[in-house]
Amino acid sequence: MELLTYTCGPLQNQTYLLIDEQTAVMFDAPMESFHFISKILDEKGLTLKAIILTHTHFDHILDLSKFEKKYNTKIYVHPNDEYRLKNPNEHIPAGLPLKIESVQSTEHLHSHQILEINNMRFKISHTRSHRR
């Protein structure tokens, strides 16, 4: 198993790519992450099985629609954060010249859930980190 970490975009957000055999799981999709991650996925012939969102603030979902379109991957999110995926432009801080395409989550995450993706297992812990 391999864990890759990238710092992306002008806000220096982190994204993580966990690889097991030919399967990849990504955590968050910040600005400019598509450039790095899609190159790795394509070069290594990896299947992006899931994107797990830690939360849906604008800076964690800016490239999400690009991944959804190209890889048709499952998007996992806690139900309390899903509203920002449906109407992301309503939640961008005033004055920032950004436009984010909406996406539909495909799976909800719940605290204490065990999520299995191929040979990878994740225990979900719902924690509040940022203010809404």
Side-chain angles (χ1 to χ4, degrees):
M1 202 171 299
E2 182 179 9
L3 177 65
L4 304 174
T5 304
Y6 294 94
T7 302
C8 305
L11 298 174
Q12 299 290 287
N13 290 87
Q14 299 284 312
T15 187
Y16 304 92
L17 189 66
L18 188 61
I19 302 168
D20 183 51
E21 296 177 7
Q22 292 306 111
T23 300
V25 173
M26 183 175 163
F27 294 85
D28 292 336
M31 180 185 283
E32 298 176 8
S33 62
F34 185 77
H35 171 75
F36 297 109
I37 302 298
S38 64
K39 184 176 178 181
I40 290 165
L41 295 172
D42 295 345
E43 287 177 355
K44 293 187 176 196
L46 300 172
T47 300
L48 182 61
K49 288 282 191 172
I51 298 175
I52 299 172
L53 298 174
T54 60
H55 62 288
T56 57
H57 285 163
F58 78 98
D59 55 334
H60 289 252
I61 64 167
L62 274 158
D63 279 5
L64 189 59
S65 66
K66 294 175 184 177
F67 287 101
E68 181 187 48
K69 286 177 184 175
K70 182 170 182 178
Y71 298 104
N72 193 30
T73 188
K74 286 188 177 181
I75 299 169
Y76 291 84
V77 65
H78 190 277
N80 291 352
D81 267 348
E82 188 172 35
Y83 69 99
R84 283 189 289 256
L85 295 180
K86 293 178 181 178
N87 300 300
N89 295 302
E90 294 176 9
H91 305 284
I92 297 173
L96 289 180
L98 300 171
K99 180 150 176 54
I100 304 172
E101 289 187 46
S102 65
V103 298
Q104 297 297 313
S105 66
T106 53
E107 301 285 337
H108 284 157
L109 295 171
H110 300 282
S111 202
H112 309 295
Q113 172 185 354
I114 301 297
L115 178 62
E116 293 187 33
I117 301 170
N118 286 17
N119 296 323
M120 296 177 270
R121 292 183 61 171
F122 305 92
K123 183 176 181 184
I124 306 303
S125 297
H126 183 229
T127 57
R128 295 190 57 131
S129 59
H130 293 313
R131 292 184 181 179
R132 292 188 172 260

